[in-house]
Amino acid sequence: MLVLNGPNLNMLGKRQPEIYGRETLADIEAACRAEAKALDLSLDFFQSNHEGALVERIQHARETNSGIIINAGAYTHTSVALLDALNAAEKPVIEVHLSNIYKREAFRHHSYISPVAVGVICGFGSQGYLLALRAMARLVSR
Ligand code: DQA
């Protein structure tokens, strides 16, 4: 399983904690690793601020991962390249956002990722990643 994080998510804990919470990305990674272990899933966890690095990691996932959980950060709202990469990966995708993007600015209401996602989890903070891992465990065991 690949958990992929886009731009500025390395700043979690410091970045607008009233929106994104006080947990760091390292805290979220540790929680994901514990959940993955309980679900008997192997886990790769990756963050980049660069669109091309995210595209390359998704291309690699086609060969190495059974599914992709992605919080693409702001690229969610801008990136046709990530949509194309996810389509080419031919793996189940779950889109995650810490905040409820539909409660926020209008430019966050559109996602280029959603058309390729099995489902979207947003508004539950870091718990969203754990919910996504649980949903993914079911998807890949079918
Ligand atoms: C986010 C929501 C995006 O709109 C924003 O650009 C982010 C984080 C979230 O997790 O709530 O960087 O994906």
Side-chain angles (χ1 to χ4, degrees), residues 7 9 15 20 71 73-74 77 97-99 101 104 108:
L9 292 167
R15 174 193 184 200
Y20 298 116
N71 182 353
H77 318 299
H97 301 283
L98 295 149
S99 64
I101 55 176
R104 301 182 63 196
R108 296 186 203 275

Side-chain angles (χ1 to χ4, degrees), residues 6 8 22 47 73 79 81 84 88 93 95-96 111 114 127 129 141:
N8 299 306
R22 298 207 173 270
Q47 187 273 335
S79 182
D84 287 351
V93 173
E95 177 181 353
V96 170
S111 166
S114 295
Q127 204 204 341
Y129 288 82
S141 73

Side-chain angles (χ1 to χ4, degrees), residues 3 5 12 23-39 41 43-46 126-127 129-130 133:
V3 176
N5 288 283
L12 287 179
E23 277 174 281
T24 66
L25 193 62
D27 294 333
I28 293 176
E29 178 173 354
C32 283
R33 292 207 178 277
E35 188 71 24
K37 198 172 175 197
L39 293 164
L41 291 173
L43 186 75
D44 292 327
F45 196 96
F46 183 81
S126 62
Q127 204 204 341
Y129 288 82
L130 308 182
L133 280 166

